[in-house]
């Protein structure tokens, strides 16, 4: 078997939505009008916390694919004012969010128990709310949402190898300026976090033999597997990894913007920043390189995203262990590409409709489990009832 990133074609049924003249697609997709359509045509379940479970109409996989979105489109009309990461959620919403995540991941592992046959992953890809909606790579729906995806490994194995120079495959290796200059200090900084449920792992223990991804990223094994996800301690540590990531990149961008900047305001781990980052020559040298290039290259300076974006992922490795990893999201790449899977969505009604009944059957079973756990109420669409 050849190891390398895979590129697969996933058929979908075209969405009968017309983008108004003069609007860019990602501007329209963030509108209350479009989010209302998403609920009515693809919504599976909603609850009083505004968490919406829905079928991905433009999905990554027709084996299993759904999302939860924190749908504040009817109450927060300004897209830049919506929550885009879990640390921005009210505590009551985060509690329900975590329970829904745990149940869905458990459902996927139950229905796809063999790690040799299926790749199971769940996680979020988010950005900072200060980014302009029209920036290249900004997610099409600008609200916090999680992805839950299963790929058939035989299908991946039979797919063509992806171009390793594809800029979307920025999982922490070749194409990333940050990893090229700061990988060691990045790992050192995140290793200072006090974690008990999550155990740091490196190298092949975290990578998939099929794709070789993820590469060079700090990763943690979930001690206790799926049972640990039923414990609030896991989700607190999952949040802690995100907070550490945000501290690292906010500190870096602050140094790029203003030489010798101090600890950012509202930092989660100010002592670790002072000790590990602001006295590290590689970290500060990398900031200088980016700062100097910004001064002399207008196009490069315009492309800089001054607030950090991330992809945070829980996935099953070849040994059947649950692994957590996190990566900077420099160009808006898909969360599947963190694991070396490039998805080409292709309009093909007949091919999609062959896979649709089995997909919806699984999603409705999942919905029933969430309703039983008092996590929401069913939504009726033209494709399924309540």
């Amino acid at each position: 078997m050849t190891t390398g990133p895979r590129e697969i074609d996933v058929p979908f049924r075209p969405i009968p939505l017309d983008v108004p003249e003069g609007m860019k697609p990602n501007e329209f997709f963030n509108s209350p009008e479009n989010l209302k359509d998403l609920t009515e045509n693809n919504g599976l379940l909603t609850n009083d916390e505004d968490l919406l479970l829905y079928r991905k109409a433009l999905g990554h996989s027709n084996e299993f694919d759904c999302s939860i979105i924190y749908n504040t489109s009817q109450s927060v009309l300004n897209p830049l004012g919506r929550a885009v990461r879990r640390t921005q959620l009210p505590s009551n919403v985060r509690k329900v969010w975590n329970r829904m995540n745990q149940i869905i991941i458990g459902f996927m592992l139950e229905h796809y128990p063999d790690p040799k046959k299926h790749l199971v992953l769940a996680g979020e890809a988010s950005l900072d709310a200060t980014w302009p909606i029209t920036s290249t790579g900004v997610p099409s729906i600008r609200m916090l949402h999680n992805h839950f995806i299963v790929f058939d490994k035989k299908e991946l194995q039979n797919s063509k190898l992806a171009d390793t120079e594809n800029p979307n495959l920025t999982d922490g290796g070749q194409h990333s300026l940050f990893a090229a200059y700061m990988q060691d200090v990045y790992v050192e900084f995140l290793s200072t976090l006090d974690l008990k449920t999550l155990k740091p792992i490196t190298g092949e223990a975290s990578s998939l033999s099929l794709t070789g991804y993820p590469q060079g990223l700090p990763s943690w094994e979930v001690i206790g597997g799926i049972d640990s996800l039923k414990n609030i301690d896991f989700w607190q540590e999952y949040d802690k990894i995100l907070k550490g990531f945000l501290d690292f990149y906010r500190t870096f961008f602050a140094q790029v913007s203003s030489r010798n900047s101090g600890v950012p305001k509202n930092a989660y781990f100010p002592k670790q920043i002072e000790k590990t980052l602001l006295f590290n020559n590689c970290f500060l040298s990398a900031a200088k390189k980016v700062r100097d290039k910004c001064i002399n290259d207008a196009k490069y300076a315009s492309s800089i995203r001054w607030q950090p974006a991330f992809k945070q992922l829980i996935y099953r490795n070849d040994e059947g262990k649950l692994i957590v990893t996190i990566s900077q999201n420099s160009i808006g790449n898909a969360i599947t590409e963190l694991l070396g899977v490039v998805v080409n969505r292709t309009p093909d009604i007949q091919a999609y409709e062959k896979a649709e009944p089995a997909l919806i059957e699984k999603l409705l079973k999942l919905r029933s489990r969430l309703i039983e756990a008092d996590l929401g109420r069913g939504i009726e669409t033209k494709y399924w009832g309540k």
Side-chain angles (χ1 to χ4, degrees):
M1 181 184 70
T2 303
T3 297
R6 294 311 205 268
E7 185 172 331
I8 62 172
D9 294 326
V10 177
F12 69 91
R13 178 172 48 221
I15 303 174
L17 280 177
D18 295 323
V19 177
E21 186 177 352
M23 288 189 80
K24 294 185 177 181
N26 53 352
E27 291 176 312
F28 175 67
F29 292 150
N30 279 284
S31 69
E33 177 189 348
N34 176 61
L35 269 296
K36 184 173 181 288
D37 180 86
L38 182 150
T39 303
E40 293 176 349
N41 282 322
N42 294 287
L44 289 157
L45 172 142
T46 190
N47 55 38
D48 294 338
E49 289 76 25
D50 289 328
L51 294 168
L52 170 69
L53 174 72
Y54 64 100
R55 181 260 309 262
K56 294 296 291 291
L58 299 178
H60 298 89
S61 169
N62 288 331
E63 178 63 44
F64 186 92
D65 195 339
C66 62
S67 277
I68 301 173
I69 191 170
Y70 183 41
N71 185 14
T72 57
S73 63
Q74 304 300 307
S75 57
V76 180
L77 299 187
N78 176 10
L80 301 185
R82 297 171 184 159
V84 292
R85 57 177 178 271
R86 61 176 50 247
T87 52
Q88 295 173 329
L89 290 173
S91 58
N92 65 313
V93 176
R94 186 161 57 245
K95 179 181 178 182
V96 173
W97 172 276
N98 290 338
R99 288 183 59 217
M100 293 178 75
N101 272 263
Q102 175 261 311
I103 288 176
I104 297 175
I105 294 170
F107 181 90
M108 291 192 294
L109 295 177
E110 177 185 322
H111 283 76
Y112 300 97
D114 191 344
K116 293 183 176 62
K117 293 182 178 179
H118 292 97
L119 172 57
V120 173
L121 61 112
E124 62 192 80
S126 299
L127 64 158
D128 192 276
T130 59
W131 287 2
I133 293 176
T134 53
S135 291
T136 303
V138 166
S140 59
I141 299 177
R142 193 184 183 94
M143 288 185 289
L144 175 64
H145 55 294
N146 262 19
H147 307 260
F148 303 91
I149 306 167
V150 175
F151 288 108
D152 186 313
K153 282 191 172 181
K154 183 175 289 186
E155 181 182 349
L156 289 177
Q157 185 175 337
N158 294 334
S159 299
K160 66 179 180 180
L161 290 171
D163 181 4
T164 56
E165 297 301 312
N166 183 332
N168 285 325
L169 292 170
T170 54
D171 64 296
Q174 315 89 315
H175 304 288
S176 170
L177 168 76
F178 305 113
Y181 290 101
M182 301 184 299
Q183 182 170 321
D184 290 342
V185 65
Y186 181 46
V187 173
E188 179 186 354
F189 178 71
L190 290 184
S191 69
T192 64
L193 304 180
D194 182 23
L195 304 175
K196 296 180 175 60
T197 303
L198 295 170
K199 174 187 174 183
I201 58 173
T202 57
E204 293 182 359
S206 62
S207 64
L208 302 171
S209 59
L210 180 64
T211 66
Y213 282 65
Q215 298 174 338
L217 295 176
S219 300
W220 298 263
E221 177 187 343
V222 182
I223 304 301
I226 187 61
D227 287 339
S228 290
L229 271 63
K230 301 174 185 177
N231 192 319
I232 191 63
D233 292 342
F234 166 82
W235 295 103
Q236 290 173 347
E237 292 191 6
Y238 194 61
D239 287 346
K240 189 176 288 187
I241 287 174
L242 172 55
K243 291 174 181 177
F245 168 91
L246 293 172
D247 270 6
F248 183 92
Y249 281 102
R250 282 173 177 160
T251 303
F252 179 76
F253 286 123
Q255 287 294 323
V256 172
S257 178
S258 302
R259 180 177 177 272
N260 284 339
S261 293
V263 176
K265 294 180 179 179
N266 302 319
Y268 296 106
F269 306 106
K271 291 182 180 178
Q272 290 90 328
I273 291 174
E274 187 73 43
K275 180 179 180 180
T276 307
L277 301 182
L278 297 182
F279 207 73
N280 184 282
N281 291 331
C282 292
F283 183 84
L284 298 173
S285 176
K288 180 182 185 301
K289 286 180 173 64
V290 177
R291 187 187 319 118
D292 289 346
K293 190 169 182 180
C294 284
I295 291 172
N296 295 295
D297 186 337
K299 186 175 181 180
Y300 178 80
S302 179
S303 70
I304 290 290
R305 293 184 165 182
W306 296 94
Q307 300 293 334
F310 67 93
K311 292 174 291 184
Q312 189 171 10
L313 196 60
I314 303 170
Y315 65 97
R316 185 174 63 187
N317 71 358
D318 295 335
E319 298 177 358
K321 297 177 180 178
L322 292 183
I323 308 297
V324 170
T325 193
I326 189 168
S327 171
Q328 58 90 10
N329 188 17
S330 62
I331 57 173
N333 39 349
I335 199 165
T336 61
E337 289 155 358
L338 184 61
L339 297 181
V341 180
V342 178
V343 176
N344 292 322
R345 297 178 178 91
T346 57
D348 189 330
I349 295 176
Q350 291 183 338
Y352 176 78
E353 289 184 346
K354 286 182 180 179
E356 186 178 37
L359 171 62
I360 291 179
E361 181 183 6
K362 288 189 282 282
L363 294 180
L364 293 180
K365 284 182 180 179
L366 169 62
R367 181 176 73 171
S368 296
R369 190 165 298 186
L370 292 167
I371 292 173
E372 184 179 353
D374 195 23
L375 286 169
R377 53 194 175 273
I379 297 173
E380 183 176 1
T381 73
K382 61 183 179 182
Y383 302 106
W384 53 76
K386 289 185 178 181

